[in-house]
């Protein structure tokens, strides 16, 4: 239906920022001369329209894949880490238990991503000058640590708090980008980052309910438990910022394919996570827990599959449509994750929390819009220079 509607109303031919936005997402038809020439070769005149339709369908497919994969992944993450599972006692009856091994979740996710990346990379030729394998171990280590901090934080703060707080990682990302690559950022990016941080602070100051299990169990020490949750979120942002900047440095220096990067990083990540499971004996206690609670095992498998498939959708979307299109999709996905959490798990929301959420996503939307405008202006400059040359 969306494809037919887009074909009836040719909004992709609009001018200005909106037109640049549509063309970057969907593309455009071939010139009229190309359409008339193609008809002589036995190809019907609607062939360019078919190309546009295919590109539109591919974009819808990518959007649906990212949204479904990571929305399901977020729901499973919150279900596993913040809710109890009913288990049978030895003397009869049931006893609620919580799944507490964040390292096992990291291991399961990374192992699934490794298998998917290995299958996807079998058709790729080996690069002439590949990066030394140990270079991937640095970002793999920070990747494991960031994921552990992310899952552990759900024991102390609610999922909406965690998602919104993760939006503040623009500040440590930019700081780490300067430290690792000496990269500068425009003033607008800093203003957006601090506006997002202000929205998260507003949300937290008005939060009436925090679903963190440890925070509820702590009673009078709830403030200390929430502080531990925020320390873990800060750790997540620091490690995740290092991961992205280190991977970007590897892309610039060795130009590995995204699938190869995914395979190498997850190879080290899954190995490090499994080593952590052995050192803490969770490699033996977690299987026993999953045997007592088969529904938890199903949730872990579903979460791992969604994470692995979602990564492939991300790489394909960036390769086919660009990083800016993915940033737009991801902003919408983050908003849907918060709303879905409220709908599925029944979190209460007040006007202060709603204001904080609105400030966060309005800032992110403005950042994406400003990037589209910059791209539209650069495209106009390029087309003007081509006309002068002609």
């Amino acid at each position: 239906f969306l494809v037919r509607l887009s074909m009836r109303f040719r909004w992709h031919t609009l001018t200005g920022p909106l037109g640049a936005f549509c063309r970057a997402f969907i593309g455009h038809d071939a010139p009229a001369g190309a359409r008339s020439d193609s008809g002589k070769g036995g190809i019907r005149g609607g062939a360019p329209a078919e190309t546009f339709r295919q590109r539109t369908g591919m974009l819808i497919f990518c959007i649906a894949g990212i949204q479904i994969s990571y929305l399901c992944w977020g729901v499973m993450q919150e279900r596993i880490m913040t809710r109890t599972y009913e288990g049978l006692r030895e003397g009869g009856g049931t006893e609620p238990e919580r799944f507490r091994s964040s390292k096992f979740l990291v291991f399961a996710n990374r192992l699934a991503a490794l298998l998917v990346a290995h299958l996807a990379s079998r058709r790729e030729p080996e690069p002439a000058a590949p990066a030394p394998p140990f270079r991937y171990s640095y970002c793999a280590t920070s990747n494991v640590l960031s994921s552990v901090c992310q899952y552990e934080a759900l024991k102390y703060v609610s999922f909406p708090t965690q998602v919104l707080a993760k939006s503040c990682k623009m500040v440590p990302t930019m700081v780490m980008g300067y430290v690792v690559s000496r990269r500068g950022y425009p003033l607008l990016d800093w203003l957006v980052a601090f506006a997002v941080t202000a929205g998260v602070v507003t949300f937290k100051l008005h939060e009436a309910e925090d679903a963190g299990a440890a925070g509820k169990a702590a009673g009078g020490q709830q403030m200390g438990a929430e502080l531990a949750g925020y320390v873990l979120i800060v750790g997540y942002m620091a490690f995740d910022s290092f991961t992205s900047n280190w991977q970007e440095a590897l892309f610039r220096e060795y130009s590995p394919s995204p699938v190869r990067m995914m395979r190498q990083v997850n190879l080290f990540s899954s190995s490090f996570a499994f080593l952590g499971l052995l050192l803490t004996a969770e490699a033996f206690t977690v299987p026993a827990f999953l045997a007592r609670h088969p529904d938890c095992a199903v949730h872990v498998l579903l979460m791992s599959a969604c994470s692995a498939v979602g990564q492939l959708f991300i790489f394909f979307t960036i390769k086919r449509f660009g990083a800016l299109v993915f940033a737009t999709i991801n902003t919408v996905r983050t908003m849907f994750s918060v709303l879905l959490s409220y709908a599925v798990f029944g979190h209460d929301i007040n006007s202060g929390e709603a204001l904080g959420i609105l400030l966060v996503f309005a800032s992110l939307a403005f950042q994406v819009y400003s990037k589209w405008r910059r791209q539209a202006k650069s495209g106009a400059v390029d087309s003007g220079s081509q006309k002068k040359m002609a």
Side-chain angles (χ1 to χ4, degrees):
F1 171 77
L2 293 176
V3 174
R4 291 180 179 274
L5 181 63
S6 64
M7 290 299 298
R8 286 178 177 274
F9 180 67
R10 303 176 67 82
W11 42 261
H12 61 286
T13 60
L14 297 175
T15 59
L18 180 60
F21 180 87
C22 297
R23 285 189 295 275
F25 261 95
I26 305 299
H28 52 83
D29 290 343
R35 287 195 295 266
S36 61
D37 292 341
S38 61
K40 298 177 182 180
I43 303 175
R44 62 185 180 90
E50 288 290 335
T51 301
F52 171 71
R53 184 180 293 112
Q54 291 173 0
R55 187 171 175 82
T56 306
M58 186 59 66
L59 176 63
I60 295 174
F61 176 69
C62 291
I63 293 174
I66 292 176
Q67 299 292 342
I68 294 173
S69 299
Y70 281 102
L71 288 177
C72 291
W73 175 80
V75 170
M76 289 297 100
Q77 178 188 167
E78 185 172 5
R79 172 63 183 90
I80 293 170
M81 296 302 297
T82 66
R83 296 298 188 268
T84 59
Y85 291 91
E86 295 293 333
L88 297 176
R89 295 180 179 177
E90 294 182 359
T94 61
E95 179 180 6
E97 292 183 276
R98 289 186 181 275
F99 185 88
R100 301 187 179 278
S101 178
S102 57
K103 289 187 287 295
F104 184 82
L105 292 183
V106 175
F107 170 71
N109 288 346
R110 299 301 174 265
L111 182 61
L114 173 62
L115 295 176
V116 171
H118 176 69
L119 294 176
S121 63
R122 293 179 65 180
R123 295 183 178 182
E124 288 191 350
E126 290 294 326
F134 76 91
R135 295 291 299 273
Y136 294 99
S137 65
Y138 299 108
C139 55
T141 303
S142 59
N143 178 261
V144 171
L145 293 174
S146 67
S147 299
V148 170
C149 290
Q150 176 184 4
Y151 295 135
E152 286 291 319
L154 285 176
K155 298 179 181 179
Y156 304 97
V157 297
S158 65
F159 181 79
T161 300
Q162 181 220 53
V163 172
L164 293 176
K166 283 161 55 178
S167 301
C168 298
K169 71 179 182 180
M170 288 185 292
V171 175
T173 297
M174 290 188 289
V175 173
M176 199 67 68
Y178 177 78
V179 172
V180 175
S181 305
R182 299 297 178 186
R183 171 185 296 179
Y185 296 90
L187 178 62
L188 179 62
D189 288 350
W190 289 103
L191 294 177
V192 169
F194 285 114
V196 170
T197 304
V200 173
V201 172
T202 302
F203 173 86
K204 186 57 188 175
L205 290 176
H206 293 85
E207 189 175 25
E209 173 192 358
D210 196 303
K216 289 181 177 179
Q221 300 179 349
Q222 182 174 356
M223 185 65 70
E226 291 185 17
L227 180 60
Y230 283 107
V231 170
L232 289 168
I233 291 176
V234 170
Y236 159 79
M237 291 189 292
F239 291 126
D240 187 68
S241 300
F242 176 84
T243 300
S244 59
N245 281 280
W246 188 269
Q247 288 179 330
E248 187 174 349
L250 288 178
F251 276 122
R252 286 199 309 268
E253 186 174 356
Y254 297 99
S255 301
S257 68
V259 174
R260 183 176 180 82
M261 174 73 76
M262 179 179 172
R263 185 188 69 182
Q264 295 298 105
V265 171
N266 283 294
L267 174 62
F268 282 101
S269 298
S270 58
S271 302
F272 293 158
F274 184 70
L275 180 61
L277 291 173
L278 291 177
L279 294 176
T280 58
E282 294 178 32
F284 309 101
T285 58
V286 172
F289 180 93
L290 297 179
R292 294 194 302 271
H293 307 284
D295 51 342
C296 182
V298 173
H299 293 163
V300 172
L301 288 175
L302 181 59
M303 178 183 176
S304 302
C306 290
S307 176
V309 173
Q311 287 188 46
L312 285 181
F313 273 108
I314 288 175
F315 286 135
F316 182 78
T317 301
I318 293 175
K319 181 179 180 180
R320 183 73 180 270
F321 299 100
L324 190 54
V325 171
F326 168 70
T328 308
I329 297 172
N330 193 51
T331 300
V332 177
R333 192 270 304 174
T334 305
M335 180 180 66
F336 283 163
S337 296
V338 175
L339 298 179
L340 188 62
S341 176
Y342 276 103
V344 173
F345 296 99
H347 301 297
D348 294 329
I349 185 170
N350 54 43
S351 58
E353 292 175 316
L355 177 62
I357 294 173
L358 180 62
L359 182 56
V360 169
F361 290 114
S363 302
L364 294 176
F366 178 76
Q367 182 190 42
V368 172
Y369 172 73
S370 64
K371 290 181 178 179
W372 282 113
R373 289 203 62 179
R374 287 200 296 266
Q375 179 171 317
K377 289 181 179 179
S378 63
V381 172
D382 293 341
S383 61
S385 61
Q386 290 177 1
K387 289 181 180 179
K388 289 182 180 180
M389 290 177 64

